[in-house]
PDB file of all heavy atoms in Angstrom:
ATOM      1  N   GLY A 108     -49.948 -32.142  12.949  1.00 69.00           N
ATOM      2  CA  GLY A 108     -50.005 -32.353  14.401  1.00 69.00           C
ATOM      3  C   GLY A 108     -48.650 -32.487  15.050  1.00 69.00           C
ATOM      4  O   GLY A 108     -48.533 -32.627  16.261  1.00 69.00           O
ATOM      5  N   SER A 109     -47.573 -32.463  14.248  1.00 90.00           N
ATOM      6  CA  SER A 109     -46.275 -32.677  14.894  1.00 90.00           C
ATOM      7  C   SER A 109     -45.747 -31.369  15.483  1.00 90.00           C
ATOM      8  O   SER A 109     -46.000 -30.286  14.961  1.00 90.00           O
ATOM      9  CB  SER A 109     -45.279 -33.323  13.940  1.00 90.00           C
ATOM     10  OG  SER A 109     -45.234 -32.608  12.760  1.00 90.00           O
ATOM     11  N   ILE A 110     -45.055 -31.507  16.558  1.00 94.00           N
ATOM     12  CA  ILE A 110     -44.607 -30.346  17.328  1.00 94.00           C
ATOM     13  C   ILE A 110     -43.577 -29.533  16.526  1.00 94.00           C
ATOM     14  O   ILE A 110     -42.701 -30.110  15.866  1.00 94.00           O
ATOM     15  CB  ILE A 110     -44.044 -30.837  18.685  1.00 94.00           C
ATOM     16  CG1 ILE A 110     -43.749 -29.652  19.602  1.00 94.00           C
ATOM     17  CG2 ILE A 110     -42.810 -31.708  18.530  1.00 94.00           C
ATOM     18  CD1 ILE A 110     -43.533 -30.059  21.050  1.00 94.00           C
ATOM     19  N   PRO A 111     -43.685 -28.204  16.539  1.00 97.00           N
ATOM     20  CA  PRO A 111     -42.664 -27.392  15.855  1.00 97.00           C
ATOM     21  C   PRO A 111     -41.323 -27.537  16.585  1.00 97.00           C
ATOM     22  O   PRO A 111     -41.306 -27.967  17.742  1.00 97.00           O
ATOM     23  CB  PRO A 111     -43.187 -25.950  15.995  1.00 97.00           C
ATOM     24  CG  PRO A 111     -44.536 -26.036  16.609  1.00 97.00           C
ATOM     25  CD  PRO A 111     -44.705 -27.395  17.197  1.00 97.00           C
ATOM     26  N   PRO A 112     -40.218 -27.162  15.946  1.00 97.00           N
ATOM     27  CA  PRO A 112     -38.919 -27.272  16.622  1.00 97.00           C
ATOM     28  C   PRO A 112     -38.965 -26.575  17.980  1.00 97.00           C
ATOM     29  O   PRO A 112     -39.376 -25.428  18.074  1.00 97.00           O
ATOM     30  CB  PRO A 112     -37.953 -26.551  15.679  1.00 97.00           C
ATOM     31  CG  PRO A 112     -38.646 -26.497  14.368  1.00 97.00           C
ATOM     32  CD  PRO A 112     -40.116 -26.616  14.607  1.00 97.00           C
ATOM     33  N   LEU A 113     -38.565 -27.316  19.006  1.00 98.00           N
ATOM     34  CA  LEU A 113     -38.603 -26.802  20.383  1.00 98.00           C
ATOM     35  C   LEU A 113     -37.170 -26.666  20.893  1.00 98.00           C
ATOM     36  O   LEU A 113     -36.426 -27.655  20.943  1.00 98.00           O
ATOM     37  CB  LEU A 113     -39.388 -27.775  21.263  1.00 98.00           C
ATOM     38  CG  LEU A 113     -39.367 -27.518  22.766  1.00 98.00           C
ATOM     39  CD1 LEU A 113     -40.168 -26.271  23.118  1.00 98.00           C
ATOM     40  CD2 LEU A 113     -39.935 -28.711  23.529  1.00 98.00           C
ATOM     41  N   VAL A 114     -36.788 -25.448  21.220  1.00 98.00           N
ATOM     42  CA  VAL A 114     -35.450 -25.184  21.776  1.00 98.00           C
ATOM     43  C   VAL A 114     -35.603 -25.021  23.280  1.00 98.00           C
ATOM     44  O   VAL A 114     -36.289 -24.115  23.743  1.00 98.00           O
ATOM     45  CB  VAL A 114     -34.838 -23.906  21.159  1.00 98.00           C
ATOM     46  CG1 VAL A 114     -33.485 -23.600  21.792  1.00 98.00           C
ATOM     47  CG2 VAL A 114     -34.698 -24.065  19.639  1.00 98.00           C
ATOM     48  N   CYS A 115     -34.980 -25.920  24.020  1.00 98.00           N
ATOM     49  CA  CYS A 115     -35.086 -25.880  25.486  1.00 98.00           C
ATOM     50  C   CYS A 115     -33.796 -25.302  26.063  1.00 98.00           C
ATOM     51  O   CYS A 115     -32.740 -25.922  25.960  1.00 98.00           O
ATOM     52  CB  CYS A 115     -35.333 -27.298  26.007  1.00 98.00           C
ATOM     53  SG  CYS A 115     -35.164 -27.441  27.789  1.00 98.00           S
ATOM     54  N   ASP A 116     -33.897 -24.103  26.623  1.00 98.00           N
ATOM     55  CA  ASP A 116     -32.758 -23.509  27.338  1.00 98.00           C
ATOM     56  C   ASP A 116     -32.943 -23.913  28.802  1.00 98.00           C
ATOM     57  O   ASP A 116     -33.851 -23.399  29.463  1.00 98.00           O
ATOM     58  CB  ASP A 116     -32.819 -21.975  27.174  1.00 98.00           C
ATOM     59  CG  ASP A 116     -31.624 -21.283  27.816  1.00 98.00           C
ATOM     60  OD1 ASP A 116     -30.666 -21.973  28.229  1.00 98.00           O
ATOM     61  OD2 ASP A 116     -31.655 -20.044  27.915  1.00 98.00           O
TER      62      ASP A 116
END
Side-chain angles (χ1 to χ4, degrees):
S109 51
I110 188 165
L113 171 70
V114 177
C115 169
D116 183 9

